[in-house]
Structure formats: structure tokens, C-alpha cells
Amino acid sequence: MDYRLDPELAVVAAGLPRTDFTDPVAARTAAYAVASATVAALPPAGDVRITDHHADGVPVRIYRPTTAAEPAPVLLDFHGGGFVMGSLDSEHRRALDLARRARCVVISVDYRLAPEHPFPAGLDDGYTVLEWTSANAASLGVDPARVAVGGGSAGGGLAAGLALLARDRGGPAIAFQLLLCPALDDRLLTWSATRFTGTPAFDSRAAAQMWPLYLPAGRVSPYAAPSRADDLTGLPPAYVLTAEYDPLRDEAVDYAVRLLQANVSVELHQTTGTFHVFDHVAPDAAVSRRARAEMAHALARGLEAPFPS
């Protein structure tokens, strides 16, 4: 297939290794090293206070812009990495950028990883942090009525699953979902999932490796694969970002349409000439800068007012 990539992304794509989960521990170790080196090379964030904490046992990193008012809106941010890799460091650039642009507190969640900790471990960690944030809102200086969940790739899938779980448990309110190239459907039957076998960085073969590592054998829960949820009513508004040459593109588009059909407000942005989580691996490309600005604006708008009950 002819992938007509954005010219800036094409240059970056030429040097990207292909995601391979044959040895997930080795893939994770290599990703940790790259993420740590990237964070170490960034200039100090003088306009954002960054502190590491434990939220009832779950490691989190909190980003608080010096310009944020109190109580501030807050985003629970979940890193990507196919459910098997990724870290606070790998999500550092995006978390810092969203905190600055949206003037909200960002709580980056270091959830447990598969295959050692398959579903529901990561989702349970997310719910723990959601409850911790709500219970400690006053000391954290955040508004419990303006809590968003979000993330890229696997992190987007976790955020969508958390929104479903909080709705069904009657848990702390979630005001907004920020779903960036989210992993939502383990069945991999969409047009993009079956045809994008050679896309840069992450393709359908990597997606097929990813899901069995995350999901234990047996019936698949919609909290693990939100596309399987029958009822999407009552969920918080969402911003959904998709990439043209991403095997996960069509499941994200389908989910956005189903949210709309369930009377959930959705902003869907399909980016052209892009591949999976392009903004993460090519942050300086013009298309990435535009996408980051738009997602931050959507987040800020989504947190302007509490989600009506």
C-alpha cells in the first residue's frame, strides 16, 4: 500500500524501529532507556511544578502549572506502550505540554504492565487514582467536578475503559475524555486493522501481538476493549484523535460515531499523512504541533464546566 506520509513525518518514519512484542520485557527495557534519556535532555520546567507521589500505592507524577488557579481542573493521563511498556518518563513530554497549554493539573499514572500484570491490573490502578484524586481534591488543589481522563494508544483505551467503569460503578464523576489514537478493540476486524500491515512504528501485526499479552484467556470485558461495550449512554464528552495510517484508526472512528449515536458530545479529528501516535515520536513536526495545540484546547474547553449528571 502507498502510504502518503506528511513530508516531515516521512523523514522521521524512515529511522523508526518497528514495534515488536515478541519479547515484551526486552521491548520495555529498551523503551525505558530511550524515555529516560529524552527526559534528561529536556530543559527544566520552571513554569510547572513536578512532583512524584503514590496514590494509594500507585506511582503518579503530578504537573501543576504556576498559572493554574485553585481549585484547578485535572487530567488523569495514561501513557501508551501496548499495555506492556511505557512509563512516567515516556509520557513526560505530553503531560508537561498539556499542563502548560490547558492550565490544568496533570496526574500521570504509572499503572502496572502486562504480561506480568494483565487486565484488569492497569485499569484497577486507574480507578484507584481516580478515587484518590476525588478523596484528596482539597489537598491537591483540584476540582473534583472537573476531572478528565486521557491518554494515547493503550493509554487512550485505559481512559475509555475507566470512563465506562466509573459510570457503571457510580464512581467519581469524569467530565471529559481525551482519546488519542486509542486502542479500543481486541478483535482487529476493521478495514484499517486488517490492511495496515506495514505502517511506520506500529502496524496491525504489532496490534495482534499486543492484545493477547494484555487480555487473559476467556470472555473479554468491555472495560478492557471498550468497543465491545453495548451501551455508551451517559459517558462524558470526548475528543478523539485519529491518524490516517494507523491500524487503530477505524475502531476509534467507529467508537466516536457510536458515542454520538448515544447522545454523547464528541469532537473527532482525523489527521492526514500521519501514523500511530505521530505526535509522540515526531513532536517537532508541524502536524504534531497543530495536533498538540488542538488537543489542549479541546481539553481546556471540556474542563470549563462540570459534566451534567
Side-chain angles (χ1 to χ4, degrees):
M1 181 175 290
D2 179 22
Y3 300 122
R4 298 181 298 278
L5 295 176
D6 174 274
E8 288 183 286
L9 295 186
V11 173
V12 174
L16 286 176
R18 191 170 307 283
T19 301
D20 186 348
F21 294 124
T22 303
D23 185 339
V25 175
R28 183 189 305 155
T29 301
Y32 276 151
V34 172
S36 296
T38 300
V39 170
L42 293 175
D47 57 337
V48 178
R49 296 194 301 274
I50 303 172
T51 53
D52 288 347
H53 300 266
H54 279 80
D56 288 341
V58 181
V60 296
R61 182 169 292 165
I62 301 179
Y63 300 76
R64 179 181 298 277
T66 57
T67 56
E70 289 195 19
V74 58
L75 167 69
L76 305 188
D77 184 33
F78 298 88
H79 65 75
F83 303 106
V84 305
M85 59 186 186
S87 63
L88 296 176
D89 282 350
S90 70
E91 190 66 5
H92 178 78
R93 189 193 297 267
R94 176 180 286 148
L96 182 59
D97 188 67
L98 287 172
R100 281 172 168 158
R101 291 176 184 264
R103 294 187 179 182
C104 69
V105 170
V106 174
I107 301 179
S108 185
V109 182
D110 196 13
Y111 57 89
R112 288 171 290 172
L113 299 173
E116 299 92 333
H117 304 285
F119 175 83
L123 184 67
D124 287 344
D125 288 347
Y127 197 81
T128 294
V129 175
L130 176 64
E131 290 191 309
W132 176 83
T133 302
S134 178
N136 295 278
S139 61
L140 291 169
V142 300
D143 185 349
R146 293 190 292 164
V147 178
V149 295
S153 191
L158 282 167
L162 183 57
L164 285 165
L165 186 62
R167 179 200 65 180
D168 294 346
R169 286 186 179 176
I174 295 174
F176 191 72
Q177 305 176 76
L178 188 73
L179 309 180
L180 313 173
C181 300
L184 301 167
D185 195 343
D186 66 295
R187 293 165 293 190
L188 301 175
L189 297 176
T190 66
W191 190 95
S192 62
T194 57
R195 286 166 175 79
F196 289 159
T197 58
T199 46
F202 182 86
D203 64 5
S204 59
R205 287 172 290 193
Q209 290 178 312
M210 169 186 78
W211 281 107
L213 296 169
Y214 178 57
L215 294 175
R219 182 174 178 270
V220 178
S221 167
Y223 304 128
S227 289
R228 288 181 175 264
D230 293 326
D231 179 13
L232 301 184
T233 59
L235 290 172
Y239 173 85
V240 182
L241 176 76
T242 60
E244 184 172 7
Y245 301 117
D246 181 358
L248 309 187
R249 181 196 68 193
D250 292 352
E251 65 199 60
V253 172
D254 291 346
Y255 196 72
V257 171
R258 290 186 58 216
L259 284 170
L260 287 169
Q261 292 169 343
N263 200 31
V264 176
S265 180
V266 177
E267 184 174 350
L268 171 63
H269 187 182
Q270 155 63 28
T271 56
T272 60
T274 55
F275 49 83
H276 186 68
V277 292
F278 61 95
D279 65 299
H280 186 72
V281 298
D284 295 325
V287 65
S288 300
R289 295 197 302 270
R290 291 195 301 271
R292 289 202 311 274
E294 183 183 81
M295 67 180 71
H297 290 157
L299 175 62
R301 291 195 303 271
L303 291 174
E304 283 177 352
F307 180 58
S309 59

